[in-house]
Amino acid sequence: MAMQKKTSTPNINRFGEQVPYGDPTWYQDWNSPYYNESHRKFRSAIREWVEAEIIPNVAEWDEKRSIPKDLFRKAFEAGWLPGVIGLWPTEYAGRNIAGGVKPEEYDAFHELIMVDEIGRCGSGGLVWGLFGGLSIGLPPVMYFGSKYLKDKVCTPCLTGEKVICLAITEPYAGSDVANLQTTAVKTADGKHYIVNGEKKWITNGVFADFFTVAVRTGGPGHNGVSLLLVERSFPGVTTKQMHCMGVWSSGTTYITFEDVKVPVENLIGEENRGFKYVMYNFNHERWGLAAQACRFSRVLLEESMKYSFKRETFGKKLIEHPVIRFKLAHMARQVEATYSFLENVTYQMATMPKDEQFAHLGGPIALLKAQC
């Protein structure tokens, strides 16, 4: 019996410029179990905003080593900024989500689309500057802070009125969080902590209003670490922008705390439990870095592909040289394999209970980050 031919229909769900491997395969309307109509609407809204607000300006902002303050508010009004913390907190951010997505529909794939689309600008400085601090500095307050701290910080930061950052790394303790040296000593009356120490490589620190700071309140090791919310207005807080090789507009900062008087009400969670609170967001933080790196790699592939069709050498286009096609193919292979890994992990994040994620995803997410 002869097989019937499937009738071909116009592919109405294709999205973007359709440069080979310039976007994920589902943009070419490949079948995918991960995405639905709410993801497509969200993608369209984010791309439109990025094309209007970021792409025309990002090179200038990088050269100026800063981004406009009002860009944070614009990102909120566009309906995506609050979603960078891994959920959509309606209590503090309202219900306006790009593309008309409902808060109850928002999942890890919406966040992946957001990171992926904004990453098309090709600037790590812009990406980190706009939501690097928020995505890692606010979750400890959201998950473990008192109602007083949440009410004080969450709405202003999620709506782009204020900026928060995470201050952990020190000149002498980078990844070794358990051995940090910044101290917080409680006053005799028990009403304040006196903070002394230095933090280095702090993203957004130079323009942050709030600092989620890891301090030592107890003995050596991870059991003596606490988190405090330090405000820029507190006397003794000094920030200085660092001159780095890249990510200029992210506001990488050296922070000095000199006898900073912090009210005990600004303790996040319980004393000496700060190491746990820091680790709580590590999976999400690493996943976000992997998503950014994957899109930046794709930007390089896309630009290389475009250039290969324009530039001529030895009487023919670069793309016509086998060695160039070989190199582009290997670039595509690595990007597509990494993105498939990223989607698989994202699916687990979207469907697996939080407690199970801690048990099962730490290793795979670490490998995903290493892959990038």
Side-chain angles (χ1 to χ4, degrees), residues 28 55 62 68 100 141 161 168 198 203 205 225 238 287 300 314:
Q28 303 156 38
I55 299 295
D62 273 340
V141 179
E161 297 296 333
I168 295 179
E198 299 166 299
T203 302
V225 175
T238 305
W287 170 87
L300 296 174
F314 304 104

Side-chain angles (χ1 to χ4, degrees), residues 67-370:
I67 56 178
K69 178 69 174 176
D70 65 353
L71 191 63
F72 297 93
R73 183 66 185 182
K74 288 181 179 179
F76 167 71
E77 293 172 348
W80 66 262
L81 184 64
V84 305
I85 63 172
L87 70 160
W88 194 276
T90 55
E91 180 181 358
Y92 299 104
R95 299 181 62 85
N96 174 45
I97 302 180
V101 176
K102 298 176 182 177
E104 52 270 23
E105 295 175 324
Y106 190 87
D107 63 13
F109 282 100
H110 291 95
E111 187 179 3
L112 173 59
I113 292 166
M114 179 268 295
V115 175
D116 199 44
E117 283 292 321
I118 295 172
R120 289 180 57 250
C121 71
S123 168
L126 182 283
V127 172
W128 292 5
L130 192 49
F131 60 84
L134 179 63
S135 66
I136 61 178
L138 191 62
V141 179
M142 283 288 302
Y143 290 120
F144 303 106
S146 63
K147 186 178 186 305
Y148 163 75
L149 287 182
K150 292 178 184 178
D151 291 345
K152 183 183 188 68
V153 173
C154 290
T155 294
C157 291
L158 292 169
T159 59
E161 297 296 333
K162 300 287 186 179
V163 175
I164 191 169
C165 69
L166 182 67
I168 295 179
T169 305
E170 299 180 348
Y172 1 80
S175 301
D176 190 8
V177 179
N179 288 313
L180 58 85
Q181 297 181 25
T182 296
T183 60
V185 179
K186 196 173 286 186
T187 55
D189 60 9
K191 294 182 178 181
H192 294 87
Y193 290 97
I194 304 300
V195 178
N196 283 282
E198 299 166 299
K199 300 292 181 178
K200 193 175 183 181
W201 313 111
I202 306 305
T203 302
N204 296 180
V206 74
F207 51 78
D209 301 285
F210 300 109
F211 307 83
T212 299
V213 185
V215 296
R216 183 160 304 284
T217 50
H222 66 273
N223 287 326
V225 175
S226 298
L227 291 184
L228 291 177
L229 181 78
V230 177
E231 301 172 42
R232 177 171 290 278
S233 59
F234 291 169
V237 178
T238 305
T239 60
K240 181 180 180 181
Q241 185 157 0
M242 297 173 63
H243 298 291
C244 303
M245 292 178 65
V247 294
W248 292 340
S249 55
S250 67
T252 306
T253 307
Y254 195 104
I255 306 175
T256 304
F257 300 109
E258 295 183 277
D259 293 328
V260 180
K261 197 174 184 180
V262 181
V264 293
E265 290 79 10
N266 283 33
L267 175 68
I268 298 171
E270 300 177 25
E271 195 172 274
N272 297 325
R273 297 293 298 275
F275 186 84
K276 173 187 174 182
Y277 305 152
V278 171
M279 295 298 110
Y280 191 86
N281 195 50
F282 257 31
N283 280 350
H284 179 257
E285 179 181 342
R286 287 171 169 170
W287 170 87
L289 291 171
Q292 295 165 34
C294 194
R295 172 52 84 164
F296 291 155
S297 297
R298 195 182 290 278
V299 167
L300 296 174
L301 172 57
E302 180 183 8
E303 291 301 312
S304 299
M305 188 71 74
K306 288 179 179 178
Y307 187 71
S308 74
F309 280 91
K310 295 177 182 178
R311 171 74 167 149
E312 291 188 6
T313 61
F314 304 104
K316 54 185 176 181
K317 297 274 197 304
L318 285 179
I319 193 65
E320 296 176 312
H321 292 285
V323 68
I324 299 299
R325 292 200 301 273
F326 175 84
K327 290 181 177 181
L328 290 171
H330 274 292
M331 292 170 70
R333 170 183 61 79
Q334 294 175 78
V335 169
E336 291 300 330
T338 302
Y339 197 78
S340 292
F341 189 4
L342 176 61
E343 284 183 316
N344 189 6
V345 169
T346 304
Y347 182 70
Q348 309 313 312
M349 292 169 60
T351 58
M352 189 180 290
K354 196 78 171 178
D355 289 345
E356 290 186 27
Q357 291 184 37
F358 293 133
H360 297 301
L361 296 187
I365 290 178
L367 287 175
L368 176 60
K369 183 185 174 187

